[in-house]
Amino acid sequence: MTVLILTCEEDVTADMVVVHLNASGVPVVRLDPADLPGGVALSGEYVHGAFRGHLQSAGRLVSISGLRSIWMRRPGPAATRAPEPSDWLTEESGQALYGMLRGSDARWMNHPDAARRARHKPWQLRVAQGCGLPVPATLITTFPQAAREFAERYPDLVVKPVSGAHPQDPPRAVPTSRVAPDTDFTAVAFGPTLLQRRVAKRADIRLTVVGERLLAARKATPEDADPDQVDVRFASPDVPWQATEVPPRVAAAVGAYMRRAELAYGAFDFAEDADGTWWFLECNQSGQFGFVEVETGQPISRTVAEWLAHGGPEPRSHVNGSSTTVC
Amino acid sequence: MTVLILTCEEDVTADMVVVHLNASGVPVVRLDPADLPGGVALSGEYVHGAFRGHLQSAGRLVSISGLRSIWMRRPGPAATRAPEPSDWLTEESGQALYGMLRGSDARWMNHPDAARRARHKPWQLRVAQGCGLPVPATLITTFPQAAREFAERYPDLVVKPVSGAHPQDPPRAVPTSRVAPDTDFTAVAFGPTLLQRRVAKRADIRLTVVGERLLAARKATPEDADPDQVDVRFASPDVPWQATEVPPRVAAAVGAYMRRAELAYGAFDFAEDADGTWWFLECNQSGQFGFVEVETGQPISRTVAEWLAHGGPEPRSHVNGSSTTVC
């Protein structure tokens, strides 16, 4: 049984996972849908009520029924590196590839439907609430008056995009920013705006979840930090990420979130306040983990490899670093 | 409790359903996400573990918790009729709208995730096989040699797109065509190709499924029909669609398909052969039904309205035309 990794060539995080899979002797096929057709080929036959399908990449042929798991890491859009790319070829190739893979019995990290749903931030906030995670008061609106009233109730606000990165080429991360006290909210009518009570944080938390394993890292906020600097992605690199324990209540709630979202992998961002409460900010179903592994030494790539190989950690493995298992 | 219909303004099929909902006194809000923000406004607040959300369209305000059902009919892409449209605004507006709606308890016809999955033809064929529907021998491949061998085993083939309509503007339907006996399959390497055994059909069947109700229509193939004319969408309009009975085995299999696909609405296309066997061709989760209703008199729009209003047909209603209930 083979692990299929769908990602682009220059993905060094996938390289880290492949090293562990190779060391365990687990067969791996790694390919980028962008190379279909050409470097990647496929064939599937529906005859007499049965299906037999194959993928070929770099001279290796793998049966679709022989896939144990599929890692949707950073796949390129189908057929974009074909000799004569077109929207039509991308559509046909994507439907052919994912249409066949969706019919397989392989486990997904993450399934494309779960991944797509999980990207909706308004949905994330609702699920987090439902699982008992503390969510900072949030408003998403196109009504200027609703924004004004919210700003009166919660005078210390941040504004952030409803969706992810700006779709320019290359995509641009839109920072979370503090809202000035005298802000005029008239422009809210021209685009949905997400306003959220600013958490006076003493640390950022990145909680990486792989199956039922939780690996948390903490980055303390310097005492002299600029309170206008709210987005950890743009914070000072002087303070390192360090492994930390997950409070049991958070662990249970995050486990519930993962089950409800049907995710096998998720990178949760929390803001830790002065009371030690972890406030849910978001869960990125495709969040990077290489930088956390490098800084903390937590075995995230090995845990991903174990999930892909067996659906969970090795029975006898002893994982260093902080982790909690949620049942 | 309100029915929310997401569709474009010029959708006359939606008009037919709205007439029935209005006659039953069921509150309806109809809007096109293309009009967000501007003609359509939204607001959602996450405070103290709870969510309160609203949509506004044409001066009407509706609570998201007050939605009984959501009909994803033909919604335009979000914000494309905004005063200053952009990819970014479309992304932000779509995430805001669907992110909030996805968190509601409303029933969907069809849920966006189920709709997206259901569009994959390779997946459809696998599900149809699994539910016991006869599927004509089919090959989807980028291997010229596989295509040649398939054509030797099944000399009478058609070729059709793996995906749906060609993404030009306006989108173009790509017809299913017969494959000539001397075809050179070398070009298969340049794009996934779907080859399927041609069914020598005596009729086309359109089976419209609304919840658990099945409404079948049949269009006989004229005796003197050109055997190269295989695509019903381009067939002679001289022969009308007529209501017909659904064989019990087909009804049971289609019911299983709908449940496995998590669809509330589906338009199945079958080819009926000389033995009376219905061969599964595809299930279009957003297939048109207006033309069938007009030609057969089957109460499809009323059945859709009843599902949106109550989750099924009116308890005491007597629906004319052919229909079968699948448990």
Side-chain angles (χ1 to χ4, degrees), chain A residues 278-289:
Chain A
W278 288 15
W279 291 90
F280 174 87
L281 300 180
E282 68 173 308
C283 171
N284 185 346
Q285 66 83 29
S286 71
Q288 278 291 9
F289 61 81

Side-chain angles (χ1 to χ4, degrees), chain B:
Chain B
M1 298 289 278
T2 302
V3 173
L4 175 64
I5 302 180
L6 301 178
T7 198
C8 53
E9 208 170 312
E10 59 275 17
D11 180 0
V12 294
T13 306
D15 294 343
M16 292 162 63
V17 171
V18 169
V19 165
H20 290 291
L21 288 168
N22 287 343
S24 315
V26 177
V28 178
V29 167
R30 172 179 172 161
L31 63 87
D32 188 350
D35 292 320
L36 176 74
V40 174
L42 59 76
S43 203
E45 188 181 283
Y46 306 74
V47 172
H48 300 311
F51 171 72
R52 287 190 322 127
H54 293 89
L55 293 175
Q56 189 180 53
S57 177
R60 287 199 53 189
L61 197 69
V62 60
S63 159
I64 289 177
S65 64
L67 296 177
R68 68 172 86 200
S69 57
I70 302 170
W71 189 23
M72 290 281 285
R73 191 27 221 170
R74 303 253 148 143
T80 42
R81 269 204 299 278
E84 293 183 46
S86 70
D87 287 351
W88 173 241
L89 186 57
T90 290
E91 184 67 17
E92 288 280 292
S93 301
Q95 292 271 336
L97 175 64
Y98 292 109
M100 285 187 200
L101 292 178
R102 280 166 173 269
S104 82
D105 294 326
R107 289 176 294 109
W108 293 78
M109 179 184 272
N110 289 318
H111 192 281
D113 295 331
R116 185 158 175 261
R117 180 176 54 206
R119 278 193 282 268
H120 290 79
K121 211 174 284 176
W123 181 85
Q124 289 183 21
L125 297 174
R126 194 79 196 92
V127 174
Q129 283 184 334
C131 295
L133 289 169
V135 174
T138 305
L139 178 74
I140 302 171
T141 197
T142 63
F143 289 95
Q145 187 55 28
R148 283 181 208 115
E149 287 170 14
F150 193 73
E152 277 171 27
R153 281 151 64 203
Y154 303 98
D156 193 359
L157 290 176
V158 297
V159 59
K160 58 171 90 171
V162 180
S163 58
H166 195 286
Q168 64 182 25
D169 192 23
R172 182 168 60 88
V174 179
T176 300
S177 315
R178 225 169 152 181
V179 175
D182 56 349
T183 297
D184 172 11
F185 288 106
T186 309
V188 160
F190 299 108
T193 302
L194 192 159
L195 301 168
Q196 190 167 64
R197 182 178 69 76
R198 184 180 74 95
V199 177
K201 67 183 178 189
R202 68 179 188 197
D204 289 288
I205 303 288
R206 163 57 70 96
L207 172 58
T208 307
V209 185
V210 181
E212 296 190 343
R213 187 168 291 273
L214 278 64
L215 298 122
R218 184 176 185 276
K219 184 186 188 111
T221 306
E223 299 259 331
D224 60 348
D226 177 358
D228 286 345
Q229 179 56 66
V230 287
D231 193 323
V232 67
R233 293 170 298 175
F234 300 87
S236 156
D238 299 342
V239 184
W241 287 99
Q242 292 185 303
T244 191
E245 296 291 329
V246 183
R249 260 163 64 168
V250 175
V254 162
Y257 187 109
M258 295 292 288
R259 286 190 294 278
R260 179 145 166 214
E262 299 177 276
L263 293 175
Y265 176 87
F268 288 76
D269 286 327
F270 295 93
E272 181 188 303
D273 70 12
D275 296 333
T277 299
W278 288 15
W279 291 90
F280 174 87
L281 299 180
E282 66 173 309
C283 171
N284 185 346
Q285 67 81 29
S286 70
Q288 279 290 10
F289 61 82
F291 69 98
V292 182
E293 174 151 346
V294 167
E295 290 201 22
T296 64
Q298 289 174 315
I300 306 178
S301 56
R302 194 172 87 200
T303 309
V304 169
E306 288 168 352
W307 190 92
L308 292 171
H310 310 288
E314 301 277 5
R316 289 175 305 157
S317 79
H318 295 281
V319 178
N320 296 318
S322 294
S323 67
T324 308
T325 300
V326 178
C327 300

